[in-house]
Amino acid sequence: SYLCKCQPGYTGDSCQHDTPAPLDDFKTLQDEVSVLLGRLQQQENKTKYMEPGCNTRSLGYKYQSRPPIDDVRNAGVIANMTFTKKQPDSVLRLSYSANIRTAGAGTAARWFFLIDGQECSAPSKIDISMYQSDGGSTHVPAVLQGICESNGSPIGHGDHIITVNLETLQGWAGGNFASGWQSTSILEVQEMCPQY
């Protein structure tokens, strides 16, 4: 008959059983468990970025898309959405992507977010601008995005009107502006737990 030789640490006819660890290895195992528990505690401390009442990173999300259009408004509301905020101490992550255009010599446009008619003030405004130096027409893909904690006062829970707006950049000439030319426009709002 043929006898198999098991690798160290295994016994039995098919070498399927782990041999029990010697007692002196128990101390090493205990040390490893202690190190792992310490690492878990450190990780838990690192992830304590959530405010009271906030128990998950993303609390809510809403998505809206618009088919390709050539919205040639030079000022006003380009897109809007009503968003229901669940927590009074959370923040909003806002994002709008579209193909934008400026045309005309020395013209500049500004796209920006308003929440309930007010610009975000903390941590900063959320805006982009585009300048056209010559009399040409420039189309570019753009993403307007940022985090809003406050728009002059804390943004409480409940319904809020989120708008993407367009205006002539202060100090520059108005021109022929457009949003959404030959591409889908996407507006996203996500409620998130704040980070310290």
Side-chain angles (χ1 to χ4, degrees):
S1 78
Y2 179 77
L3 291 174
C4 291
K5 184 173 180 185
C6 296
Q7 293 183 2
Y10 293 90
T11 60
D13 294 338
S14 304
C15 300
Q16 75 275 15
H17 298 293
D18 244 344
T19 55
L23 288 177
D24 58 345
D25 285 351
F26 182 72
K27 177 78 172 130
T28 305
L29 183 62
Q30 205 173 24
D31 291 341
E32 286 180 31
V33 168
S34 180
V35 167
L36 287 173
L37 287 174
R39 286 183 188 160
L40 283 172
Q41 184 64 44
Q42 286 175 347
Q43 186 64 29
E44 186 179 322
N45 290 340
K46 284 181 186 175
T47 56
K48 283 186 178 174
Y49 59 84
M50 297 178 186
E51 294 280 1
C54 236
N55 56 12
T56 181
R57 186 159 173 82
S58 181
L59 300 168
Y61 175 81
K62 195 169 180 181
Y63 173 97
Q64 175 183 296
S65 66
R66 218 165 56 162
I69 58 168
D70 192 12
D71 189 334
V72 293
R73 277 179 276 192
N74 291 326
V77 175
I78 302 302
N80 66 69
M81 172 191 294
T82 300
F83 184 82
T84 304
K85 198 164 170 277
K86 296 176 183 173
Q87 296 284 338
D89 56 354
S90 59
V91 299
L92 295 178
R93 178 189 169 275
L94 309 174
S95 177
Y96 173 73
S97 60
N99 193 333
I100 61 174
R101 181 194 73 192
T102 59
T107 63
R110 175 178 178 255
W111 285 259
F112 58 99
F113 276 110
L114 293 180
I115 300 174
D116 300 327
Q118 300 292 318
E119 273 201 80
C120 187
S121 58
S124 65
K125 292 180 179 182
I126 305 171
D127 65 350
I128 57 173
S129 57
M130 185 173 168
Y131 171 73
Q132 182 69 38
S133 62
D134 58 23
S137 177
T138 303
H139 297 79
V140 296
V143 177
L144 169 64
Q145 122 179 331
I147 298 287
C148 189
E149 298 170 356
S150 168
N151 63 349
S153 59
I155 302 166
H157 68 285
D159 289 347
H160 296 279
I161 298 170
I162 314 296
T163 59
V164 178
N165 306 270
L166 171 63
E167 68 182 6
T168 298
L169 189 62
Q170 190 172 10
W172 295 92
N176 186 357
F177 310 135
S179 308
W181 183 81
Q182 298 297 316
S183 64
T184 301
S185 302
I186 297 170
L187 173 59
E188 297 173 279
V189 180
Q190 182 179 19
E191 181 179 3
M192 301 173 67
C193 294
Q195 298 183 9
Y196 304 161

